[in-house]
Amino acid sequence: MTSPTPKRLFIKTYGCQMNVYDSQRMAEAMAADGYVLTEDQAQADMVLLNTCHIREKAAEKLYSDLGRLKPLKAERPDLKIGVAGCVAQAEGEEITRRMPLVDLVVGPQAYHRLPAMARGEAPAVVTEFPAEDKFDHLPARAATRRTPTAFLTVQEGCDKFCAFCVVPYTRGAEVSRPAPRILTEARDLVARGVREITLLGQNVNGWHGEGADGREWGLGRLIRALAEIDGLDRIRYATSHPNDMADDLIEAHGAEPKLMPYLHLPVQSGSDRVLKAMNRKHTAEQYLRLIDRIRAARPDILLTSDFIAGFPGETDDDHRATLDLIERVGFATAFSFKYSPRPGTPAADRAEVEPSVADARLHELQALLSRQQREAQESMVGREVGVLFEKPGREPGQMVGKSDYLHSVFVDAPQAKVGDLVRVRILASAPNSLQGQLLQ
Ligand code: 5AD
Ligand code: SF4
């Protein structure tokens, strides 16, 4: 079903890295139907918004972006407008009711049906959870992009049901992709020049599956198998739940040099009372002990986290317990959010913290976390790190890439090319990046 003239597809991605990966896979699926990607929305034959539902603001952004598409659609009624992602899953037909300019709505588990939907050969709204792996029905990774880093989804969905979170409803139950498929996809990416792979999952460290040896593998074992691929130099994974940090995964951080010394391990709060109300199923002390074990395995690891300010019932004491936990761990960066009630989640009906109080707490969290971020960056000065060049920098002869610790590093390297993995001495720290010097 390839059409003679290429059609142009514009994709806007909101939210997490999982969506970035999904957008790439949808672009590849549509490429088989003759669509090429465009950066210019005004030129597009199809506009696809890959949405995020995690907080209220994220969902509202979709509706304001759709509103802004009205003049374009009025001018060119044949323009196809699609909504994908978690808002599509959560709101379904409500989207076409509220925004009649939308032609199709596709949930995250139904992306393999997108080409048929765009051709008008499938319903306009598909939000079912099929039994099969959607990736089986998506074309193999296309050879279009030449970047040294790639995402690879290994797990989707979440069974944790934190009281504030929509993910178990939008992305469904935890499903792990089979190890052989993941290894094949990784080898494929490496054959195309990828040197760093970030394994993705809403609960990525909950990944499990049957390995080549017929045994049940966890993420630590999968990482060791991936590390055997020649040409794959760096492995990362996100996002993890503290309760799924298995021993073999912690060990892998100590034993596997390709596994980068950086871990995003959200804790959300430092108060046991709030953690319980959030249904996190661990205490602050358990989290701190886990951090100790991870640091024992890999002393230089940098840790990051997510925090929610103003969860229903949170008191000043609870908030202070969170600040205290942050002080005790020392994070390299962290994301903090004001609690946002999400319809359908258990916490949505609970009495909310006064907005001005929640704002003040968020502010305090952010101030402390940015201080820690500055300190973590400054502590890199003078150290030697690996840097994988991802693109040319702003200045002539300059390259920019990520350090082992995921900092952006600018380096003068006129002879270097994208994809080079080099040793660098860190010279200086700027607010959001580091500056380094090439070592021979
Ligand atoms: N309100 C505020 N923050 C939320 N998060 C998830 N749901 C909510 C919510 N309802 C945050 C959590 C999670 C991150 C991805 O988003 O901190 O780890
Ligand atoms: Fe947003 Fe969560 Fe969906 Fe990712 S999984 S797009 S963070 S709602």
Side-chain angles (χ1 to χ4, degrees):
M1 289 288 294
T2 319
S3 80
T5 47
K7 289 162 283 185
R8 278 171 295 234
L9 172 64
F10 174 87
I11 305 187
K12 176 166 176 179
T13 306
Y14 311 65
C16 65
Q17 296 168 331
M18 182 79 76
N19 270 3
V20 174
Y21 176 85
D22 284 347
S23 289
Q24 287 164 10
R25 298 301 301 263
M26 284 191 279
E28 286 156 6
M30 295 303 286
D33 261 20
Y35 280 87
V36 295
L37 278 180
T38 174
E39 308 256 289
D40 182 3
Q41 182 170 279
Q43 297 297 317
D45 298 286
M46 177 168 176
V47 170
L48 190 61
L49 304 177
N50 191 8
T51 61
C52 175
H53 202 233
I54 195 92
R55 287 169 294 273
E56 194 177 357
K57 271 200 190 133
E60 279 312 312
K61 235 181 141 321
L62 165 70
Y63 286 108
S64 63
D65 283 350
L66 284 173
R68 274 199 292 277
L69 279 170
K70 273 181 191 160
L72 196 62
K73 179 87 172 185
E75 206 180 293
R76 292 200 284 117
D78 57 334
L79 169 71
K80 273 197 183 51
I81 297 179
V83 175
C86 295
V87 180
Q89 187 64 40
E91 312 232 314
E93 280 169 5
E94 177 59 23
I95 296 172
T96 42
R97 250 196 306 277
R98 194 165 150 187
M99 286 285 171
L101 84 173
V102 172
D103 300 284
L104 50 98
V105 177
V106 59
Q109 304 309 322
Y111 291 155
H112 52 294
R113 308 201 51 195
L114 183 63
M117 292 170 76
R119 291 193 299 263
E121 293 165 9
V125 178
V126 182
T127 54
E128 79 229 15
F129 284 94
E132 76 268 40
D133 178 354
K134 73 178 172 204
F135 295 111
D136 283 355
H137 301 270
L138 285 168
R141 304 297 296 265
T144 46
R145 286 173 350 116
R146 272 217 166 258
T147 53
T149 63
F151 292 136
L152 200 173
T153 292
V154 302
Q155 180 278 336
E156 272 196 276
C158 180
D159 297 339
K160 294 285 190 290
F161 291 93
C162 298
F164 51 81
C165 188
V166 289
V167 168
Y169 312 96
T170 53
R171 292 275 173 166
E174 284 183 22
V175 180
S176 295
R177 293 180 70 201
R181 297 236 180 86
I182 295 166
L183 287 161
T184 304
E185 193 171 325
R187 279 188 212 103
D188 241 50
L189 289 167
V190 171
R192 267 184 241 129
V194 168
R195 304 186 69 172
E196 170 178 320
I197 291 180
T198 301
L199 307 175
L200 295 182
Q202 267 94 27
N203 234 319
V204 70
N205 59 342
W207 181 90
H208 58 94
E210 193 183 311
D213 53 8
R215 300 217 183 138
E216 179 74 2
W217 285 8
L219 189 66
R221 184 66 189 84
L222 178 69
I223 286 170
R224 282 197 282 132
L226 287 163
E228 283 170 20
I229 300 175
D230 272 340
L232 178 60
D233 298 300
R234 291 173 145 191
I235 301 169
R236 306 179 187 276
Y237 62 95
T239 290
S240 299
H241 190 287
N243 291 359
D244 286 332
M245 282 309 292
D247 293 347
D248 81 322
L249 184 54
I250 296 175
E251 276 161 31
H253 275 285
E256 185 42 70
K258 290 185 181 181
L259 182 56
M260 291 293 102
Y262 180 97
L263 176 62
H264 184 58
L265 196 61
V267 61
Q268 316 295 354
S269 167
S271 152
D272 288 346
R273 236 175 44 82
V274 173
L275 287 168
K276 194 161 178 20
M278 286 177 165
N279 192 33
R280 291 288 295 179
K281 300 200 172 86
H282 62 76
T283 62
E285 204 48 48
Q286 282 165 337
Y287 182 82
L288 291 167
R289 277 208 303 273
L290 176 61
I291 298 295
D292 288 343
R293 288 175 55 219
I294 295 165
R295 281 185 166 150
R298 182 76 205 233
D300 62 334
I301 198 163
L302 290 193
L303 296 157
T304 76
S305 183
D306 294 340
F307 294 93
I308 295 179
F311 186 75
E314 185 188 69
T315 64
D316 281 336
D317 278 349
D318 295 323
H319 171 61
R320 271 192 292 276
T322 302
L323 294 171
D324 181 55
L325 178 139
I326 295 171
E327 292 281 11
R328 285 171 72 183
V329 175
F331 290 100
T333 59
F335 305 94
S336 47
F337 311 100
K338 186 161 100 165
Y339 171 71
S340 156
R342 307 307 293 130
T345 60
D349 309 325
R350 300 182 197 162
E352 276 179 60
V353 168
E354 189 64 40
S356 61
V357 173
D359 281 331
R361 288 180 190 161
L362 179 67
H363 202 78
E364 212 174 340
L365 286 180
Q366 284 174 343
L368 174 56
L369 291 166
S370 21
R371 196 194 79 208
Q372 290 194 340
Q373 175 171 343
R374 213 165 43 241
E375 287 167 359
Q377 278 201 195
E378 277 162 10
S379 76
M380 299 306 297
V381 175
R383 285 174 62 184
E384 187 188 320
V385 297
V387 175
L388 176 59
F389 288 141
E390 292 181 20
K391 57 183 185 210
R394 284 170 292 227
E395 277 149 42
Q398 195 184 48
M399 292 294 267
V400 54
K402 291 281 168 24
S403 77
D404 306 331
Y405 305 92
L406 212 57
H407 289 119
S408 290
V409 185
F410 288 83
V411 184
D412 277 324
Q415 316 292 326
K417 40 185 202 320
V418 168
D420 285 355
L421 180 57
V422 296
R423 299 299 296 170
V424 164
R425 166 109 37 226
I426 302 301
L427 299 177
S429 167
N432 288 306
S433 64
L434 297 170
Q435 205 205 320
Q437 179 183 45
L438 215 50
L439 293 171
Q440 289 319 317

